[in-house]
Amino acid sequence: MTRAGIFVENRLALLGIRYLLDAEADIQVAFAASTPFAVAPGSVDCLVLDRGLLDRGLLGELPPAVPAARTVLLTRGPETGSERTGATLPLDDAPLLLVDAIRRVAAPGPAPVRQGVATLSPREREVLGHLVEGCTHDQAARRIGISQHTVDTYVKRIRSKLGAHNKAQLVRAALTTP
């Protein structure tokens, strides 16, 4: 049984995520709160965290009781403002992807080890920054002034360097590694 904790500021999103996770037989919600508090070591296997709490300094940093690799970070997309994990997700698939992300980060065994973002080139960090903001590859390409194909190539290199298999893992690595 995976024990998940939820810190999401938007109360409607918080209730939706709680409802979604309560429907899963293998996930138990240990707590769901819109205001962060200290998390006791060992009380959760995974933390679902609203990036907005980090951005506004309401959390300070990730709770030390939960390793960064065991955190699912929710971001807001520039187009819709909807809650989602990582980069652009189709709204219909977002709940399934969130549940899948929770299962993967809370899996038994050691937390995944990644190389730091410091190993990325300046252009790779720039592309990754746009992905963190929720941009699609096409949007990032237009903002930087390069082709979408070039962005795709940078993303492949970034994934390889960080050991990330999807955009959610890329975003988590960008936000949680020094």
Side-chain angles (χ1 to χ4, degrees):
M1 174 75 65
T2 297
R3 294 165 298 151
I6 308 168
F7 286 138
V8 175
E9 192 171 26
N10 179 301
R11 290 187 184 269
L12 184 57
L14 176 70
L15 290 173
I17 293 168
R18 170 110 201 209
Y19 180 78
L20 172 71
L21 298 182
D22 281 342
E24 298 298 318
D26 62 332
I27 299 175
Q28 175 187 14
V29 177
F31 61 82
S34 57
T35 305
F37 56 84
V39 178
S43 63
V44 295
D45 302 309
C46 169
L47 184 63
V48 177
L49 179 62
D50 181 352
R51 179 179 173 196
L53 295 170
L54 285 174
D55 289 345
R56 287 189 296 290
L58 299 176
L59 241 168
E61 294 185 12
L62 290 174
V66 182
R70 302 278 190 223
T71 302
V72 175
L73 195 63
L74 302 176
T75 62
R76 297 189 193 282
E79 300 87 14
T80 64
S82 62
E83 294 293 332
R84 51 205 170 134
T85 57
T88 304
L89 299 177
L91 189 57
D92 292 344
D93 294 340
L96 297 175
L97 292 170
L98 175 59
V99 170
D100 181 56
I102 290 169
R103 287 185 178 127
R104 278 186 282 119
V105 302
V113 176
R114 295 175 303 272
Q115 297 177 18
V117 174
T119 62
L120 302 178
S121 72
R123 185 62 112 180
E124 289 169 340
R125 283 194 296 273
E126 183 179 12
V127 168
L128 183 57
H130 289 293
L131 295 179
V132 167
E133 291 175 6
C135 292
T136 64
H137 290 203
D138 185 51
Q139 291 168 330
R142 281 186 273 140
R143 287 184 179 184
I144 298 171
I146 59 178
S147 75
Q148 181 178 343
H149 177 72
T150 304
V151 169
D152 294 342
T153 300
Y154 280 126
V155 171
K156 287 177 188 172
R157 289 180 189 163
I158 295 166
R159 283 183 178 172
S160 175
K161 288 181 179 181
L162 299 180
H165 301 289
N166 57 45
K167 286 187 184 176
Q169 290 176 348
L170 285 176
V171 171
R172 184 172 56 242
L175 295 171
T176 60
T177 57

